Amino acid sequence: MRWQIGIDIGGTFTDVIAMQPATGLLRTAKVSSRTDDPLAALLNALDAVDVPWTEVQDLMHGTTMVTNAIVENNLSKVALVATEGFGDTVAIGRQNRRYLYRLDLPAKADPTVHESLRFEVRERMDHKGQVLVEMSEQSVTELVEAIRTAGADSIAVSLLHSYANGSHEKQLGEQLKTITANVSLSHQVSPEAREYERTNTTVLNAGVMPMVRDYLDRLEEAKPSDSQLHLFHSAGGMASPSALRDQPLGLAMSGPAAGVTAASRVAAELKLDHALSFDMGGTTTDTCLITNGHAEIRSDRSLAEHPIRQPMVAVDAIGAGGGSIAWMDTGTLRVGPKSAGAFPGPACYGRGGTEATVSDANLVLGYLDHSQPLGGFLQLDRDAAVQALLPLANAMVISVEAVAHGILRVATANMVRALRKVTVERGVDGRHCALIAYGGAGPMHAVEVSRAFGISKIVVPASSSMFSALGCVSASMSYSRQQTVRMASGQWNTEQLSTTRDSLISQLSAPIIEAGHDDKPLTIKEVAGVRYSGQSYAVEIQNPALDDPQALGLAFREVHEQLYGFSTDEPWELATLRTTVSLPRTEHLTNADQDRDAAPAKPHSSNLCYFDGQSVMTPRYSRDELVTNQTISGPAIVEDESSTIVIIPKSTLTVDPSGHLVIDIAEDK
Amino acid sequence: MSAVDPVTLEVIRNALSAIAEEMTGVVMRSARSPLLREAGDLSSALTDADGNLISQGRDIPMHMGVMSFTVKEFLKRIPKEQLQPGDVWFLNLPEVGGNHLPDVKAIRPIFVNDEILAFSVSLAHWADTGGAVPGSYVPFATDAWMEGLRISPLRVFTAQGTDREKLEMILSNVRSSDEREGDIMAQMAATRSADLRFQELCEEHSAEVVTNAIIALHNRAEAQMRAALKELPDGVYKGEDFLDDDGSPGCQPIAIRVTVKVSGDAATFDFSASDDAAIGPINTTPFIAGASVFYVVKALLGPDIQPNGGCYRPLTVITRPGSVLEPPLSSPVVGGNHETSQRIADAVFLALESAVPDQLTAGGPTTSGLLLFGGEREDGAWTTLYETHGGGEGARAHRDGASVIRVHMSNVMNTPAEVIEAEYPLRVETQRLREGSGGKGAHQGGEGLHREYRILTDKLSLTTMFERRVIPPYGLKGGENGAPFSVHIQKADGESFEMPGKANRWLKRNDLVIVDTCGGGGYGEAE
């Protein structure tokens, strides 16, 4: 009886879900993360669900290792090779400054490669991939010697227009491997035009390569030979360790991507046209637009101010979380952007925090339970929360409960403003979206945020408190890459295009076939980026008719009209092609443990909670006692081991057959 | 008026900002031209019924002045009684709360219960507004009419729909009219979304509460600004800086002079001693002077003060009619928007040097470094590359200046070499830091940029609009000046010459344009 295991190693907690498909058994656990030794955290997680590694068929694993290395600027020493005349591109960047009004702070981040490690080679391509200046063997030999002398742990190669012709980069790569095996070539990491973004992406890939390769080596060594290992990548799928050895930057958004992928599956299962994922943590809230069960994937996102030109789930972080601090600012009550973080954390955690936070407000209003330890181990201190809120109450001359309510209203207003921006920028009316809430604090605020935004349907999915781990265990193995093409509608070359397509497909299929899945049919998905000649933004066309430019042009004009309200018959071009190759998974996630004939759960206790300034005796339920089709009318609180769902008055919760909690908000305007 | 509680005030403040942010989103998503959709050269704002700024969608310091004055000036010409629900008025006259012709504003009155409670304003930089050259930057313009189409307040949309006659009048006077029509529609749509959202806000909180909240927010920003000004020692401070020239033959440097009087929690900025209006297009408007003053005060004293009508109250900005900052209405102004605005900021910074010790940044690339390449592509299409060039930031008391960056009034990005080569008949031969251009000092000025463009077509028009060529970025406290900005042309036939800062030339195949942007000034004496 072999197991499928999903493990999400976060900054604080490691979540694990174990599934045994043959029996339908499902086990979950939460253990502390160990940033110094991720492998130890992984072994702890397996222990916690009592599954020995030898009984694991597939272990699927998300990690914040790469994210943290980039955010904390903990990167290896990288040497960069650029086309002669372009070595400074990483220092020039896009010439814009970070802060409009902060003269005191550094206007630009330091270049990712120091001047002494920037090398140039004489060669030149044009944008069509034609060689303008050959690269001589002698110049390559000299370059290799110069880098060997300078010393580097990892090497990034980014030559001008290599997305159109990577031959010079390949040639260089062969020679540079005599210095170190850690070589990243830009046309393989990010085959897209825009030299600064491609170069920086390649440098980051090189910067995390030694660390990731080392970790993968240790994992491979530790794992039993007949157990398969997969890692979760930023675009929402599984990748094999061997593929990640060359593309370690693919893990940049591993953790959030896993959660968003699980949310997409829930959206697909419930047939939600538009949904917003809503993952609220201690300092930020992550959100992503999901359309027809597919999370938005983009190749123009940034992490810690670094542009990363690789396909990633388009998660937006809102600067508001449970630890956000409330303060008076010239007559207004503000919440954030300062956060009490994980340490000292909110005042109610009793670890020395004294400032009022969103979590303290939740405790004062009775939503959080101070009689039960949070997550099973953290006893909340209501008095400390009240003390933290008192100065604000005195300043505003209102009660502590009224301040708490005010803090939540303001935090909600911040989030609504951010959600509106995220949706309007994509041409979607956010009020027609469903909210899929998960993570520690997401379900607690989901109803209030939805009411303020005008959303009427909320889903708190099954296993919401370890949703990223669930995303891991339920994802399919997939690889994707975006390539610059630039083919004008008037100069269509089907043959050239099919060479590009075949090459992308074979590169992306290789790791799946290598992992032993050569017998199963692979799913190939293509997305074309099409634009009018002279435009800079491309419109995405799903499943484009690449053999038929007339049909593609028609589809393009239709989508353009839909998005922008107009279209014309002007010439257009295929700017980019994004290809995803995946191995479909068929298993459904259902909890076989559920007793369908059980009587509806009764509340285990009740306490006074405050809603809109009124105190109401509010029943509390345990989530694991709820049964299918049970409905609960607000006000009520539903708790599981690590999150609390607040059901405000006039809203109704229903348990669906898959264990998802669906909350409907009555229109009361 | 009854007081609005601190929570409701913050909730409404967020909602008002969200309305303006949504306007920006609407324009960027639906506008036609890349200048709006990619570079985002646009601004959105809500004002109260009297035209005082309530909130804005995105901070472009240069557009601040416009947003704060446009509706007020508009109302002086078009009284409220003439306005109807559903109206959208377009205008670009510099003297009507404006800056230069390419920045076109769309204004919509927002009626709640038959009364105007607010206006939404969408400002967009049109890639062309007619005039003598494509892109409407005419370096040799000597009067306002050479610069392109002048739109006095014009009601282009009403509740009944589009007034085609007026729209056609505009479109027949600008290049690439399809693109312009798309931009106009986008601006109209943005003002409409603000209207809807403002109505919703009033339904939720009542019009009275929203109106009271707006008054409270103005008062709050005023209080923040007064508190910030109190930090400045009382006194009279003088500063000056010079524009290189206005592009006309034999033009000498043009002085921008300011006398700042700080008294308690208020300050006056008097620019009367600045030079007379120029012949060429570096004149600007009092509104831009206001924008520049506000930028400096905010950057020095209160980066977090929310820009709205209230924070202007303690500031008085005086310009002299007939001067370069309040020229005759017949004067050309296109370059003043991003060149003279920067020089005004420099002069105010320098004036305040002794009042805010150790807080000043040495001189930097206070110029757009603008080069406009207009040429024919291989496929016969005519394209214009509008490229700004950053330079070295000035050093500060505690750090070196950054290399190749935009400072103060603007923050527009560069165009990557790989995009330029694919889209325009140009090859970028090199782009590197201009080593040694930063002024030496205890802290070093940032390095400028060295970029070379090879012309790959038979005939190409080059327009320049940049500064700091003659008068370099200044060092502070004994730090050296940065190297000045220069553009050289190396002709294919061997001839070479330096390009003036405001000029237009025709270039040929294989000519080389060599750009060396200015370095930043150093801070403190070098060891």
Side-chain angles (χ1 to χ4, degrees):
Chain A
M1 292 300 182
R2 307 201 67 191
W3 291 83
Q4 302 279 321
I5 303 274
I7 296 183
D8 176 52
I9 304 187
T12 319
F13 294 113
T14 294
D15 293 341
V16 54
I17 291 190
M19 272 196 334
Q20 199 173 41
T23 60
L25 273 179
L26 189 78
R27 293 181 194 161
T28 63
K30 213 179 230 329
V31 299
S32 288
S33 285
R34 288 188 51 184
T35 43
D36 55 325
D37 190 353
L39 184 57
L42 195 141
L43 294 172
N44 285 346
L46 286 175
D47 276 350
V49 286
D50 197 18
V51 176
W53 205 337
T54 46
E55 286 178 27
V56 176
Q57 183 172 26
D58 291 286
L59 191 150
M60 294 158 281
H61 151 35
T63 174
T64 50
M65 174 194 286
V66 168
T67 321
N68 292 345
I70 293 170
V71 170
E72 291 158 16
N73 200 21
N74 205 353
L75 304 170
S76 297
K77 185 179 172 188
V78 177
L80 169 66
V81 182
T83 300
E84 187 179 61
F86 290 83
D88 286 340
T89 295
V90 284
I92 294 166
R94 299 299 303 275
Q95 86 178 13
N96 53 328
R97 68 185 186 274
R98 300 149 123 173
Y99 314 103
L100 278 175
Y101 296 101
R102 292 299 298 269
L103 301 176
D104 51 331
L105 301 175
K108 236 181 185 177
D110 285 337
T112 42
V113 182
H114 187 263
E115 206 181 337
S116 61
L117 286 170
R118 304 204 285 256
F119 297 86
E120 295 185 353
V121 63
R122 184 164 163 71
E123 68 81 44
R124 191 72 196 255
M125 302 274 175
D126 72 6
H127 63 282
K128 292 176 176 156
Q130 283 160 353
V131 177
L132 298 176
V133 177
E134 294 287 353
M135 187 169 69
S136 75
E137 263 181 51
Q138 196 203 332
S139 62
V140 174
T141 313
E142 284 169 14
L143 174 80
V144 170
E145 281 322 302
I147 296 178
R148 198 188 301 277
T149 309
D153 301 326
S154 193
I155 303 172
V157 182
S158 181
L159 304 181
L160 219 57
H161 298 298
S162 65
Y163 57 87
N165 179 350
S167 62
H168 284 177
E169 287 193 351
K170 272 191 202 135
Q171 211 179 314
L172 271 174
E174 288 305 317
Q175 298 301 314
L176 291 167
K177 281 189 180 147
T178 63
I179 304 176
T180 168
N182 298 322
V183 174
S184 300
L185 306 180
S186 81
H187 77 279
Q188 290 171 357
V189 174
S190 168
E192 286 208 70
R194 285 163 202 261
E195 64 276 9
Y196 166 66
E197 285 81 356
R198 186 178 67 254
T199 302
N200 218 39
T201 303
T202 309
V203 168
L204 289 181
N205 192 69
V208 298
M209 188 180 266
M211 175 191 72
V212 170
R213 285 186 169 185
D214 178 60
Y215 175 57
L216 293 174
D217 287 344
R218 294 174 57 205
L219 271 180
E220 297 271 22
E221 204 180 291
K223 97 176 168 61
S225 59
D226 61 343
S227 175
Q228 290 287 332
L229 183 66
H230 319 272
L231 281 93
F232 207 88
H233 65 69
S234 313
M238 282 297 149
S240 70
S242 70
L244 288 167
R245 292 179 67 81
D246 289 328
Q247 304 274 348
L249 192 60
L251 295 173
M253 289 289 274
S254 175
V260 167
T261 303
S264 310
R265 277 183 77 107
V266 170
E269 193 185 319
L270 300 180
K271 298 192 169 52
L272 306 170
D273 298 345
H274 287 291
L276 285 165
S277 69
F278 186 76
D279 175 9
M280 185 170 172
T283 48
T284 57
T285 301
D286 287 343
T287 184
C288 180
L289 181 66
I290 297 166
T291 306
N292 297 323
H294 295 286
E296 188 190 11
I297 307 289
R298 294 187 65 128
S299 301
D300 59 355
R301 311 294 289 191
S302 295
L303 179 60
E305 299 185 63
H306 294 292
I308 295 185
R309 292 293 175 268
Q310 284 190 335
M312 304 200 289
V313 289
V315 171
D316 283 281
I318 303 168
S324 293
I325 290 171
W327 52 293
M328 288 300 291
D329 178 21
T330 336
T332 62
L333 178 73
R334 297 189 56 187
V335 177
K338 226 176 99 190
S339 167
F343 197 88
C348 62
Y349 283 15
R351 296 177 184 155
T354 54
E355 293 177 285
T357 66
V358 170
S359 292
D360 294 311
N362 278 312
L363 183 60
V364 166
L365 293 175
Y367 304 165
L368 281 172
D369 187 359
H370 64 278
S371 66
Q372 300 287 332
L374 185 70
F377 59 87
L378 186 66
Q379 192 66 51
L380 299 180
D381 183 346
R382 189 174 191 278
D383 290 340
V386 169
Q387 285 305 316
L389 264 60
L390 258 182
L392 296 174
N394 292 339
M396 289 161 63
V397 205
I398 53 175
S399 70
V400 169
E401 288 78 14
V403 168
H405 184 233
I407 290 173
L408 293 198
R409 276 181 69 202
V410 170
T412 298
N414 291 345
M415 283 190 266
V416 166
R417 176 175 165 189
L419 288 177
R420 179 157 275 154
K421 192 157 177 281
V422 165
T423 47
V424 76
E425 278 170 0
R426 290 160 175 80
V428 171
D429 186 340
R431 294 171 299 184
H432 298 150
C433 293
L435 201 71
I436 301 180
Y438 53 94
M444 184 145 48
H445 294 267
V447 183
E448 202 50 73
V449 166
S450 299
R451 187 174 69 163
F453 192 23
I455 283 177
S456 53
K457 185 185 194 120
I458 300 146
V459 180
V460 182
S463 303
S464 64
S465 60
M466 38 188 62
F467 211 47
S468 289
L470 182 76
C472 286
V473 83
S474 62
S476 53
M477 197 188 241
S478 81
Y479 294 90
S480 54
R481 189 172 299 173
Q482 184 157 311
Q483 162 98 41
T484 291
V485 180
R486 283 194 188 132
M487 186 175 287
S489 55
Q491 294 162 341
W492 206 254
N493 185 336
T494 311
E495 201 175 313
Q496 188 196 327
L497 193 55
S498 57
T499 310
T500 307
R501 295 168 73 185
D502 292 348
S503 145
L504 268 174
I505 291 169
S506 74
Q507 283 175 51
L508 296 168
S509 312
I512 303 181
I513 293 167
E514 269 169 39
H517 299 287
D518 50 340
D519 53 331
K520 296 166 194 145
L522 300 180
T523 307
I524 292 155
K525 189 176 177 229
E526 292 177 314
V527 178
V530 184
R531 62 188 181 188
Y532 285 116
S533 302
Q535 273 187 343
S536 44
Y537 272 140
V539 161
E540 293 200 339
I541 312 294
Q542 311 281 332
N543 305 316
L546 294 171
D547 296 327
D548 183 353
Q550 269 73 37
L552 180 57
L554 215 61
F556 164 57
R557 283 190 281 271
E558 207 169 283
V559 174
H560 199 278
E561 175 85 40
Q562 201 181 324
L563 277 175
Y564 302 122
F566 68 90
S567 65
T568 70
D569 292 333
E570 287 169 278
W572 50 271
E573 65 177 21
L574 173 64
T576 56
L577 181 63
R578 184 168 75 233
T579 304
T580 304
V581 175
S582 56
L583 179 72
R585 281 173 69 99
T586 44
E587 303 98 277
H588 253 297
L589 285 176
T590 42
N591 193 343
D593 281 349
Q594 247 204 31
D595 179 356
R596 288 168 193 282
D597 300 322
K602 298 246 179 321
H604 61 72
S605 64
S606 60
N607 67 323
L608 273 184
C609 288
Y610 293 81
F611 297 98
D612 286 331
Q614 310 281 324
S615 72
V616 188
M617 200 44 113
T618 305
R620 304 184 83 91
Y621 296 81
S622 287
R623 181 171 184 175
D624 54 13
E625 290 170 8
L626 303 186
V627 300
T628 301
N629 294 331
Q630 177 168 3
T631 61
I632 298 172
S633 296
I637 306 277
V638 174
E639 291 163 298
D640 63 20
E641 56 189 6
S642 54
S643 62
T644 303
I645 304 153
V646 178
I647 309 152
I648 61 172
K650 293 186 191 162
S651 57
T652 311
L653 174 147
T654 310
V655 185
D656 90 347
S658 304
H660 306 313
L661 310 181
V662 181
I663 303 168
D664 288 296
I665 301 176
E667 297 231 4
D668 62 351
K669 278 190 179 172
Chain B
M1 125 194 178
S2 58
V4 182
D5 70 85
V7 172
T8 305
L9 193 56
E10 177 67 5
V11 169
I12 292 177
R13 189 183 72 84
N14 266 291
L16 291 167
S17 294
I19 291 173
E21 283 162 6
E22 178 166 353
M23 290 177 71
T24 296
V26 170
V27 177
M28 289 191 74
R29 203 173 54 73
S30 57
R32 187 60 210 283
S33 60
L35 198 56
L36 300 179
R37 297 179 52 198
E38 182 160 48
D41 196 347
L42 61 106
S43 281
S44 317
L46 269 184
T47 77
D48 66 16
D50 298 319
N52 298 300
L53 189 70
I54 298 171
S55 64
Q56 58 175 18
R58 240 161 41 112
D59 248 351
I60 294 184
M62 207 142 66
H63 292 163
M64 272 297 305
V66 176
M67 291 304 178
S68 312
F69 300 106
T70 309
V71 175
K72 286 184 193 167
E73 296 297 321
F74 166 78
L75 288 174
K76 286 182 190 166
R77 298 213 171 194
I78 312 292
K80 278 187 197 167
E81 300 73 53
Q82 279 188 40
L83 302 177
Q84 299 292 330
D87 281 1
V88 185
W89 294 70
F90 280 71
L91 70 153
N92 73 348
L93 287 187
E95 61 266 33
V96 185
N99 43 346
H100 64 174
L101 298 182
D103 283 342
V104 182
K105 299 94 189 166
I107 298 178
R108 180 189 201 103
I110 299 178
F111 285 78
V112 180
N113 307 328
D114 300 329
E115 189 190 348
I116 295 176
L117 286 197
F119 289 90
S120 54
V121 189
S122 168
L123 178 157
H125 184 142
W126 289 7
D128 192 283
T129 42
V133 297
S136 310
Y137 271 71
V138 186
F140 49 81
T142 51
D143 72 36
W145 298 275
M146 292 171 78
E147 298 197 296
L149 176 65
R150 297 165 55 78
I151 309 169
S152 56
L154 197 64
R155 186 173 1 206
V156 182
F157 298 89
T158 67
Q160 281 71 48
T162 314
D163 188 333
R164 283 305 308 185
E165 287 172 16
K166 291 175 188 164
L167 185 62
E168 293 298 339
M169 170 69 194
I170 292 175
L171 295 178
S172 57
N173 278 284
V174 299
R175 298 177 184 85
S176 41
S177 55
D178 283 354
E179 195 179 273
R180 279 309 73 66
E181 184 170 350
D183 293 348
I184 290 170
M185 293 298 173
Q187 287 181 273
M188 183 276 292
T191 62
R192 185 176 56 199
S193 84
D195 192 345
L196 293 173
R197 294 285 175 263
F198 194 87
Q199 308 280 355
E200 287 170 12
L201 190 68
C202 289
E203 272 172 40
E204 188 180 342
H205 296 275
S206 88
E208 191 197 351
V209 169
V210 172
T211 307
N212 288 342
I214 290 168
I215 294 168
L217 289 170
H218 285 322
N219 292 341
R220 173 174 174 270
E222 180 183 354
Q224 287 174 322
M225 181 59 92
R226 289 197 187 280
L229 286 170
K230 252 188 206 158
E231 301 292 311
L232 282 181
D234 281 5
V236 176
Y237 307 95
K238 291 191 180 212
E240 66 177 7
D241 200 351
F242 295 85
L243 292 156
D244 289 344
D245 55 59
D246 68 357
S248 65
C251 181
Q252 293 301 303
I254 297 159
I256 305 294
R257 296 194 183 92
V258 64
T259 300
V260 185
K261 286 185 191 134
V262 180
S263 147
D265 61 2
T268 302
F269 298 78
D270 187 344
F271 292 93
S272 297
S274 301
D275 279 354
D276 288 343
I279 297 167
I282 53 83
N283 299 292
T284 194
T285 64
F287 316 114
I288 282 290
S292 300
V293 164
F294 180 74
Y295 166 78
V296 175
V297 172
K298 187 165 154 76
L300 280 182
L301 302 175
D304 298 325
I305 297 174
Q306 174 144 24
N308 70 26
C311 56
Y312 277 96
R313 288 181 197 148
L315 304 177
T316 308
V317 176
I318 299 168
T319 51
R320 172 176 59 87
S323 72
V324 66
L325 306 186
E326 194 177 344
L329 299 186
S330 57
S331 298
V333 295
V334 71
N337 184 52
H338 42 65
E339 303 304 314
T340 311
S341 63
Q342 295 274 27
R343 205 61 60 249
I344 298 167
D346 275 321
V348 179
F349 273 123
L350 286 168
L352 294 174
E353 186 180 3
S354 64
V356 287
D358 303 333
Q359 281 187 52
L360 244 49
T361 305
T366 42
T367 169
S368 61
L370 178 62
L371 269 67
L372 277 138
F373 297 91
E376 235 177 328
R377 274 197 324 211
E378 272 173 33
D379 62 4
W382 182 268
T383 55
T384 303
L385 170 65
Y386 177 106
E387 186 70 358
T388 66
H389 295 80
E393 185 195 24
R396 292 175 58 83
H398 302 292
R399 65 170 174 89
D400 293 344
S403 295
V404 191
I405 200 145
R406 300 295 309 277
V407 300
H408 302 328
M409 303 303 289
S410 183
N411 201 23
V412 178
M413 294 197 284
N414 59 15
T415 308
E418 289 178 344
V419 172
I420 292 176
E421 295 185 359
E423 308 276 338
Y424 305 93
L426 295 167
R427 178 178 307 135
V428 179
E429 296 284 9
T430 180
Q431 58 187 16
R432 56 164 54 115
L433 300 182
R434 184 185 174 195
E435 295 293 342
S437 58
K440 292 192 175 50
H443 284 283
Q444 182 101 5
E447 307 284 23
L449 170 75
H450 174 86
R451 202 183 212 191
E452 297 176 7
Y453 300 88
R454 178 83 63 191
I455 311 302
L456 302 181
T457 184
D458 292 336
K459 197 176 163 222
L460 179 137
S461 141
L462 171 67
T463 300
T464 57
M465 185 61 72
F466 67 90
E467 276 278 316
R468 291 305 191 203
R469 183 179 71 92
V470 177
I471 298 164
Y474 47 86
L476 283 179
K477 310 263 187 207
E480 287 180 8
N481 290 341
F485 206 120
S486 73
V487 176
H488 287 86
I489 309 294
Q490 215 173 75
K491 305 279 287 178
D493 61 13
E495 184 203 349
S496 72
F497 60 91
E498 187 181 354
M499 229 6 220
K502 292 105 193 156
N504 178 270
R505 296 281 186 280
W506 286 93
L507 302 178
K508 290 189 175 146
R509 188 178 292 274
N510 286 328
D511 289 353
L512 190 67
V513 180
I514 304 165
V515 181
D516 283 287
T517 74
C518 50
Y523 195 103
E525 278 181 48
E527 303 240 327

